[in-house]
Amino acid sequence: MTQLAPTKHPFIADGEATAILPTGGKQKPITVIGTEAIRETFDDFCVQQAINSRLAPGVTDLVLNPDAHCGYGAPVGCVMVSPTHVYPGPVGVDIKCSMSLLQTSLPADAVVDKQTRRALIDAICERTPTGAGRGQRNAAKSRPVDEALGQRVLVEGASKGVCEALGIPPEWATRCEDSAHVGHDDSTAALALRLERLLPHAHRFADKMSQLGSYGGGNHFGECEVVEVGDDPRSQSVAETFGLVDGGVAFLSHCGSRGIGHQLATGQFKALQAKFEQWNIPLPGQDRELVYAPLGTAEADAYLDDMALGANFATVNHLLINALVLEAFQQVIPGATGQLVYFISHNIARKEIVDNRPAWVHRKGATRAYPGGHHALAGTPFAQTGHPILLPGNPQAGSAVMVADPGAVLSRYSVNHGAGRQLGRKAAKRALNQAQVDQSFNEADILSNCRHYPIDEAPAAYKDFDEVLRSVKSAGLASEVARLKARFVIKDGDKADD
DNA sequence: ATGTCC
């Protein structure tokens, strides 16, 4: 990829937690969210990816968030806006990777006892497996997903029929950012047609459909939380609208579109890269990870359809996981009930109105943040307050539920998607000590399904979550409503019973 | 992220 001017401290601060990054031309500079301490965590490669993305054809706006780090083509932790082009790389391989939060009726006291927590871990892991690939045939054993139902999931998303077939409370669909994605022409029919064309080439399609109700690996997780709503009147009032219960037990999940999303995304990368080569089209920043398609072309249509298929899988995957987690709670603690607080993505491109015209907003490791009164929230439970923003931090610092403020217009109505990596996986394995990581979890009384917590996922491998949140708040983008404190974590790792 | 290389 192209290396431009030296990128050491290239930012021009224009506030405590905001800066701009000029790219040398007349175009609007990159908007940077982050305190000086946070901006120093951006390495040169990440900044170069941001510059290449900003200068790519049809891109009118680029926002770099405080959790930014190197990604595929564009940094993870950025927002890329284009009224004319779609960019598969800056959506990423895990199409519609998302967060969801389930509020249970249980008080914090219910998850103090270690035996109870162990029983919950076992009941949850039995229903919602972690880890990659094989061995997940009918991940959700009580709700087998065959190829036909899988096709409906991809085309319809969390439709009433799909929810009923999978035992998902249909009202949860009203608590989703996009319960169903449609095709390039805004029709479901386009998705059915696209799927029909893809199926003969889809490798082990039935196996991928049977992954519904599973977490996967890497940074994906499920986490039992105790909710701590802020003391201020606004937090209390917003928490009530969100359905958050102070001192109650909730369950936070992070996962995406699993194998099918990966297959659809990489298929698109390869197809577009081949066309760029065939037609000798210059690559933005000489980076093949930044291939694109102009809207209205067959290539753009195909990408938007594939993205929607993957997104629909991710949506139903999350809802099913929540239904199964609730079932697990009910097995261990009879009488428990639960309500979905929200489901929101951080890897998706959405058609939104930006500066009074439609544009595709690519959020790559970035979370939509519409404040109260935003036109797109009209008719939803969150029209007055703004929708819930779910930000994973780390099990020890906690995670956050936030709500957008009007200042979020600066970041194209987006915030970060978590803490962001501080150390790469290899660096984390070199720098951190397994015994110390495990001891820190013991001292915090946070249980896990893993015998040893995955070291490349340790809290110290991520940026300081409080500093990241300080950036978001100081920039005027969003306010904290509640903190979620982990009681146990479900992750892919060496299982305690191995 | 991903049956971590079809």
Side-chain angles (χ1 to χ4, degrees):
Chain A
M1 86 153 84
T2 309
Q3 291 294 325
L4 294 180
T7 53
K8 191 84 179 151
H9 304 118
F11 308 107
I12 302 168
D14 61 0
E16 190 197 336
T18 57
I20 59 166
L21 173 57
T23 51
K26 283 180 290 187
Q27 63 278 82
K28 184 182 169 187
I30 294 168
T31 302
V32 183
I33 308 295
T35 58
E36 192 176 356
I38 284 291
R39 295 198 299 272
E40 282 171 5
T41 67
F42 301 150
D43 65 31
D44 289 354
F45 191 74
C46 168
V47 169
Q48 190 64 55
Q49 286 188 324
I51 292 170
N52 290 342
S53 302
R54 175 65 194 88
L55 297 178
V59 175
T60 55
D61 231 324
L62 197 106
V63 180
L64 200 58
N65 275 330
D67 54 345
H69 54 98
C70 299
Y72 185 91
V76 174
C78 83
V79 186
M80 183 198 227
V81 180
S82 176
T84 49
H85 293 61
V86 285
Y87 279 81
V91 170
V93 286
D94 191 3
I95 294 168
K96 210 183 183 188
C97 185
S98 309
M99 300 302 304
S100 62
L101 184 66
L102 180 78
Q103 174 71 59
T104 77
S105 57
L106 300 169
D109 288 354
V111 292
V112 170
D113 178 62
K114 274 197 169 66
Q115 301 295 53
T116 305
R117 277 185 282 161
R118 282 281 163 218
L120 284 167
I121 289 170
D122 292 344
I124 291 167
C125 289
E126 208 173 283
R127 290 169 172 82
T128 57
T130 58
R134 292 187 178 171
Q136 297 189 348
R137 189 171 273 283
N138 291 326
K141 291 188 182 60
S142 62
R143 336 250 169 122
V145 180
D146 61 13
E147 187 167 329
L149 180 54
Q151 288 188 45
R152 284 192 70 189
V153 167
L154 295 185
V155 172
E156 297 173 28
S159 68
K160 194 160 177 286
V162 164
C163 287
E164 278 168 1
L166 288 168
I168 295 164
E171 70 271 17
W172 287 4
T174 65
R175 296 251 170 175
C176 289
E177 178 196 36
D178 305 323
S179 61
H181 292 252
V182 289
H184 68 275
D185 59 358
D186 295 331
S187 80
T188 304
L191 295 187
L193 194 62
R194 176 74 184 158
L195 184 57
E196 202 176 300
R197 286 182 188 163
L198 286 173
L199 273 176
H201 314 288
H203 184 60
R204 292 184 182 271
F205 181 77
D207 285 0
K208 290 191 176 71
M209 295 305 99
S210 73
Q211 291 182 328
L212 275 172
S214 67
Y215 279 106
N219 59 4
H220 289 175
F221 68 88
E223 203 168 280
C224 178
E225 317 278 4
V226 171
V227 178
E228 296 176 1
V229 175
D231 290 333
D232 59 298
R234 183 186 176 205
S235 291
Q236 305 255 321
S237 144
V238 170
E240 197 178 334
T241 302
F242 287 0
L244 289 168
V245 180
D246 188 36
V249 173
F251 199 87
L252 184 69
S253 296
H254 177 206
C255 58
S257 47
R258 303 298 330 278
I260 189 69
H262 183 266
Q263 183 189 309
L264 290 163
T266 53
Q268 285 290 336
F269 300 160
K270 284 175 192 159
L272 282 170
Q273 284 162 0
K275 299 216 158 156
F276 268 66
E277 205 165 317
Q278 182 191 340
W279 294 333
N280 202 24
I281 303 167
L283 292 160
Q286 295 171 37
D287 187 351
R288 64 203 304 270
E289 297 179 355
L290 278 175
V291 290
Y292 55 83
L295 291 175
T297 61
E299 288 75 17
D301 291 352
Y303 177 68
L304 292 173
D305 289 347
D306 282 5
M307 182 184 74
L309 293 168
N312 283 335
F313 185 96
T315 306
V316 178
N317 189 30
H318 259 265
L319 294 187
L320 181 55
I321 281 174
N322 279 280
L324 294 166
V325 164
L326 178 56
E327 189 184 275
F329 268 93
Q330 289 167 335
Q331 179 192 296
V332 176
I333 307 171
T337 60
Q339 267 302 320
L340 192 72
V341 172
Y342 207 52
F343 160 78
I344 188 165
S345 179
H346 47 240
N347 274 1
I348 194 75
R350 299 179 81 251
K351 204 188 325 182
E352 299 182 3
I353 303 296
V354 180
D355 292 338
N356 299 313
R357 64 172 172 166
W360 282 89
V361 179
H362 303 66
R363 293 192 177 87
K364 182 184 184 65
T367 313
R368 191 188 68 175
Y370 288 163
H374 190 286
H375 65 89
L377 293 179
T380 76
F382 311 113
Q384 304 297 317
T385 55
H387 60 80
I389 297 168
L390 307 175
L391 297 186
N394 67 64
Q396 290 167 17
S399 291
V401 181
M402 300 188 88
V403 69
D405 290 313
V409 66
L410 174 71
S411 56
R412 297 330 196 165
Y413 294 116
S414 308
V415 294
N416 57 309
H417 79 310
R421 279 204 160 278
Q422 171 102 284
L423 298 171
R425 294 188 184 277
K426 280 180 196 162
K429 283 173 185 162
R430 273 196 306 270
L432 305 176
N433 175 280
Q434 183 72 61
Q436 284 174 6
V437 169
D438 290 342
Q439 194 190 336
S440 70
F441 275 81
N442 284 336
E443 282 169 3
D445 187 28
I446 298 167
L447 303 182
S448 166
N449 65 316
C450 301
R451 189 205 309 259
H452 296 298
Y453 197 85
I455 199 161
D456 50 345
E457 285 294 315
Y462 286 86
K463 296 183 191 181
D464 178 349
F465 189 51
D466 284 300
E467 187 66 21
V468 169
L469 290 185
R470 190 156 33 248
S471 296
V472 175
K473 295 173 198 172
S474 302
L477 309 183
S479 302
E480 191 168 338
V481 174
R483 196 60 77 103
L484 308 172
K485 303 308 273 295
R487 304 307 296 122
F488 63 82
V489 189
I490 312 278
K491 276 193 84 76
D492 179 32
D494 58 341
K495 307 297 187 279
D497 58 359
D498 280 355

